[in-house]
Amino acid sequence: MPKAKGKTRKQKFGYNVNRKRLNRNARRKAAPRIECSHIRHAWDHAKSVRQNLAEMGLAMDPNKAVPLRKRKMKAMEVDTEERAKDLVRKPYVLKDLEAEASLPEKKGNTLSRDLIDYVRYMVENHGEDYKAMARDEKNYYQDTPKQIRNKINVYKRFYPVEWQAFIDSLQKNKMEVE
């Protein structure tokens, strides 16, 4: 079936397009960006992925890097074949990665200020009586006793040092009042 008249166009050559830049940008977009800065700075684009990782002391295939031993080996057989060590030309990459991995993990999650104030208020006024906490007028969201207990436990887990100091201050106040 023929196409409608005027729907096909003759392709024209774009003289104002820089082909060198176009190809370079296409290659850059096609190659994935390496997220790890240590590996990205040591990467050699002229070499293959396997060669680059071998030079850094990393393995492309973990199954080949650490082979599993066969279970059915006789007691007299001795491993005579030793793997030839690959030459690590960029050991600083591995050292940087190990140093970064050994840093302590940051705690990114915190509790809201409102929840902290709510838990402190409830424990100050009611102690361990969760039913009384559920009936309190500051229980705006009408939490059940179990929900309040869970919120208190979350606060204990997130801030154990602050919780202990808070409990100690409550004990001191109780001792002074008596």
Side-chain angles (χ1 to χ4, degrees):
M1 189 168 171
K3 292 186 180 179
K5 190 175 181 183
K7 290 293 178 187
T8 57
R9 277 174 107 188
K10 184 180 173 190
Q11 292 292 323
K12 295 181 181 177
F13 186 80
Y15 289 99
N16 58 350
V17 175
N18 186 346
R19 300 262 174 250
K20 189 174 184 181
R21 188 182 329 126
L22 198 68
N23 289 335
R24 186 175 59 224
N25 287 342
R27 270 197 317 273
R28 190 175 294 143
K29 285 181 183 176
R33 177 168 167 74
I34 300 170
E35 293 297 323
C36 179
S37 62
H38 306 299
I39 295 175
R40 185 173 60 242
H41 292 305
W43 197 264
D44 185 4
H45 293 284
K47 295 182 180 176
S48 70
V49 175
R50 190 180 305 276
Q51 289 170 335
N52 271 306
L53 291 176
E55 281 187 355
M56 294 177 208
L58 303 172
M60 184 171 168
D61 186 7
N63 294 323
K64 290 182 182 173
V66 183
L68 295 174
R69 292 186 181 161
K70 293 181 181 176
R71 296 216 180 256
K72 295 181 180 179
M73 289 188 78
K74 294 179 182 175
M76 296 300 290
E77 285 185 33
V78 180
D79 230 0
T80 56
E81 179 189 350
E82 277 192 35
R83 250 184 64 215
K85 291 284 182 183
D86 294 330
L87 184 63
V88 179
R89 294 186 178 162
K90 300 174 183 175
Y92 58 90
V93 175
L94 198 57
K95 288 176 186 170
D96 290 343
L97 289 173
E98 286 174 350
E100 191 176 325
S102 67
L103 293 174
E105 184 181 345
K106 283 186 183 177
K107 259 192 179 176
N109 46 4
T110 57
L111 298 179
S112 68
R113 190 74 235 162
D114 293 337
L115 181 64
I116 293 171
D117 294 340
Y118 173 76
V119 166
R120 285 174 162 258
Y121 169 81
M122 290 296 186
V123 173
E124 275 179 22
N125 292 337
H126 303 289
E128 292 288 319
D129 190 5
Y130 299 113
K131 288 184 179 178
M133 290 181 196
R135 289 190 302 268
D136 194 292
E137 63 184 11
K138 289 256 181 154
N139 183 7
Y140 300 126
Y141 297 113
Q142 298 182 352
D143 292 330
T144 63
K146 274 191 174 181
Q147 288 173 323
I148 295 172
R149 187 182 68 216
N150 288 339
K151 286 182 180 182
I152 292 172
N153 288 338
V154 165
Y155 178 68
K156 287 180 189 177
R157 195 170 57 246
F158 270 69
Y159 304 106
V161 176
E162 287 182 27
W163 173 256
Q164 195 57 46
F166 175 64
I167 294 298
D168 293 342
S169 69
L170 284 179
Q171 294 296 332
K172 284 183 184 177
N173 290 344
K174 223 182 226 184
M175 298 281 273
E176 290 173 4
V177 170
E178 291 176 359

